[in-house]
Amino acid sequence: MDCWDFKETRWTPQDLDVTEVKKGLYLSRTLFPQLIGKMDQVSIVRSLQAPELIHFNGQYHTQTGRALNPAVAREIPAFGSVIAYELASARRERDTFPTYVSTSLTRARAGSIGAGFLPTWATGLDLDPGTVFEAFGGNVEGASRVLEERWRLLTEFAKINEGQRKALGQRASDYQTFYDDAYKLLTDARWPQVFQASAEDKARYGEDEFGLGCILARNLLRQDAGTKFVYIYDGDRWDHHSGIFDRNAEWNHYRTCTRLDKGLVSLIDDLAAQPGHAPGTTMLDETLIVAQSEFGRTPGMNPVAGRDHYKGAYAGLYVGGGVKGGRVIGRTDADGSTCLDPGWGHKTQPYMDNSVATI
């Protein structure tokens, strides 16, 4: 309720510079100085509800679109892997990039959910924005020579151990799939271009985990080499159980909101400036951007000036990919605790599952 379903309460700071963007939609110029000018492109759903209130379960839910069931957890694929599987037949000969790429999910509480019962090749590739620009964007020529020699040695060893490898069955086959795909990726001249970011790019997007993740997403899509789905994880930056508006706290709304504002708006602008595949379209027309968390926050402040986990109502943002901009879907009460109108043709409120189904 401090962000996209703003509610003024007795805890609201006086320096947020809140304005009514359109009837019933208020936004803080302090927290979202750039996004406030994009509301004609953006649609906000303010009636979401959460199925659980634990980070691990909630993050599992955002990656799979379903509740965690330990009995079958190993079989359940991330929905990015489902997308990779569904789009496999559309991949072209020149598509060497993974269909599903994520950023920083290996550091998430639920980790990076794998391909489950789907084939190994549907697994997502998780990148660390803090290291990959340096690791893959440097001396390409020197690195390629080392790679070729290592690949030659690996191939020779594989021939020697062919009998033992076959005895391992599917596991050895899965490893070989990973090696082959990795080699194709690393020898593709387009791959190093993903990790090129100018000083101007970093200034616009931000040099933090989220901003760099957005740059990676933009670059992956620009190369048009097979990547169709990118999951950008922003860590636990928003878990403000205390000091949510304390400027001296390591993480507070003044910091989290403005970094999201920079990265998200820069991504929207750059995709809107890039031609799409179909004549007369842009890449933003063909790319759906969703900004959403695993649950909401309590309407009132706790004793240490923070907000705790809350399932009753929260908001998500959608832009591009055919989304009709300027829409505000759903309505909550005066303090954002209860959904008064889900905003769609069903009596129930939408869940994360519905966002996954939409994607």
Side-chain angles (χ1 to χ4, degrees):
M1 72 295 300
D2 301 311
C3 297
W4 303 327
D5 186 18
F6 184 83
K7 306 292 183 179
E8 187 171 9
T9 68
R10 63 189 178 90
W11 296 283
T12 303
Q14 300 301 307
D15 62 353
L16 296 187
D17 191 13
V18 177
T19 184
E20 186 173 22
V21 182
K22 57 187 301 180
K23 185 175 174 59
L25 175 63
Y26 297 84
L27 213 62
S28 165
R29 285 195 177 94
T30 302
L31 303 182
F32 300 103
Q34 298 183 66
L35 186 62
I36 202 166
K38 298 288 181 184
M39 300 314 292
D40 59 331
Q41 295 176 258
V42 165
S43 279
I44 293 175
V45 177
R46 301 190 297 190
S47 53
L48 289 163
Q49 64 175 329
E52 54 248 320
L53 293 176
I54 300 172
H55 282 298
F56 184 96
N57 295 24
Q59 291 177 9
Y60 177 90
H61 214 127
T62 66
Q63 288 190 58
T64 61
R66 60 194 296 154
L68 174 63
N69 179 350
V72 295
R74 291 184 63 182
E75 303 172 26
I76 303 304
F79 81 92
S81 293
V82 175
I83 291 172
Y85 183 79
E86 293 288 342
L87 296 182
S89 61
R91 283 180 69 86
R92 303 157 297 188
E93 185 68 27
R94 62 188 183 87
D95 287 342
T96 65
F97 288 16
T99 304
Y100 169 34
V101 177
S102 60
T103 71
S104 300
L105 274 180
T106 52
R107 295 207 298 271
R109 302 201 188 193
S112 178
I113 307 301
F117 62 79
L118 294 176
T120 304
W121 52 257
T123 305
L125 172 64
D126 192 61
L127 301 173
D128 181 351
T131 61
V132 291
F133 285 91
E134 182 178 348
F136 293 114
N139 180 9
V140 178
E141 184 178 347
S144 64
R145 287 197 297 268
V146 174
L147 178 65
E148 286 173 11
E149 177 59 17
R150 289 181 175 179
W151 183 254
R152 185 189 66 79
L153 290 171
L154 184 66
T155 304
E156 292 299 318
F157 278 124
K159 290 177 182 177
I160 296 171
N161 297 316
E162 187 172 0
Q164 291 175 311
R165 288 165 58 82
K166 286 182 177 179
L168 291 173
Q170 185 60 42
R171 183 177 296 179
S173 177
D174 289 346
Y175 268 105
Q176 191 59 47
T177 297
F178 273 121
Y179 278 124
D180 290 342
D181 289 348
Y183 185 69
K184 290 176 185 176
L185 189 63
L186 292 171
T187 54
D188 188 328
R190 296 169 296 180
W191 183 243
Q193 300 304 311
V194 173
F195 309 101
Q196 302 301 314
S198 66
E200 190 267 341
D201 280 338
K202 293 178 180 179
R204 286 194 301 123
Y205 280 86
E207 291 193 64
D208 50 69
E209 188 175 59
F210 180 73
L212 294 175
C214 288
I215 294 175
L216 284 174
R218 180 202 66 180
N219 291 354
L220 283 162
L221 297 178
R222 274 183 176 177
Q223 292 304 315
D224 189 25
T227 298
K228 300 294 183 183
F229 177 65
V230 184
Y231 189 121
I232 303 170
Y233 175 65
D234 193 27
D236 292 330
R237 307 291 188 252
W238 297 83
D239 200 23
H240 300 308
H241 286 285
S242 63
I244 195 168
F245 287 112
D246 180 2
R247 289 184 179 272
N248 295 317
E250 181 182 6
W251 290 102
N252 55 64
H253 256 343
Y254 298 106
R255 187 174 177 189
T256 49
C257 291
T258 51
R259 71 201 285 274
L260 176 73
D261 185 73
K262 288 178 66 173
L264 181 60
V265 171
S266 296
L267 182 60
I268 292 171
D269 286 344
D270 283 356
L271 294 185
Q274 185 82 15
H277 294 84
T281 65
T282 68
M283 193 174 287
L284 183 62
D285 295 326
E286 300 175 350
T287 306
L288 174 65
I289 300 174
V290 179
Q292 201 167 315
S293 61
E294 66 262 51
F295 40 67
R297 311 301 294 195
T298 49
M301 292 281 192
N302 60 29
V304 286
R307 299 190 191 277
D308 301 317
H309 302 179
Y310 188 69
K311 66 184 298 180
Y314 69 108
L317 181 147
Y318 302 76
V319 59
V323 168
K324 295 178 181 178
R327 301 182 74 190
V328 181
I329 299 167
R331 182 168 57 89
T332 58
D333 61 3
D335 65 355
S337 61
T338 304
C339 176
L340 302 178
D341 176 13
W344 65 341
H346 304 274
K347 293 182 180 179
T348 57
Q349 294 174 243
Y351 281 101
M352 170 61 66
D353 313 57
N354 300 110
S355 279
V356 171
T358 296
I359 294 168

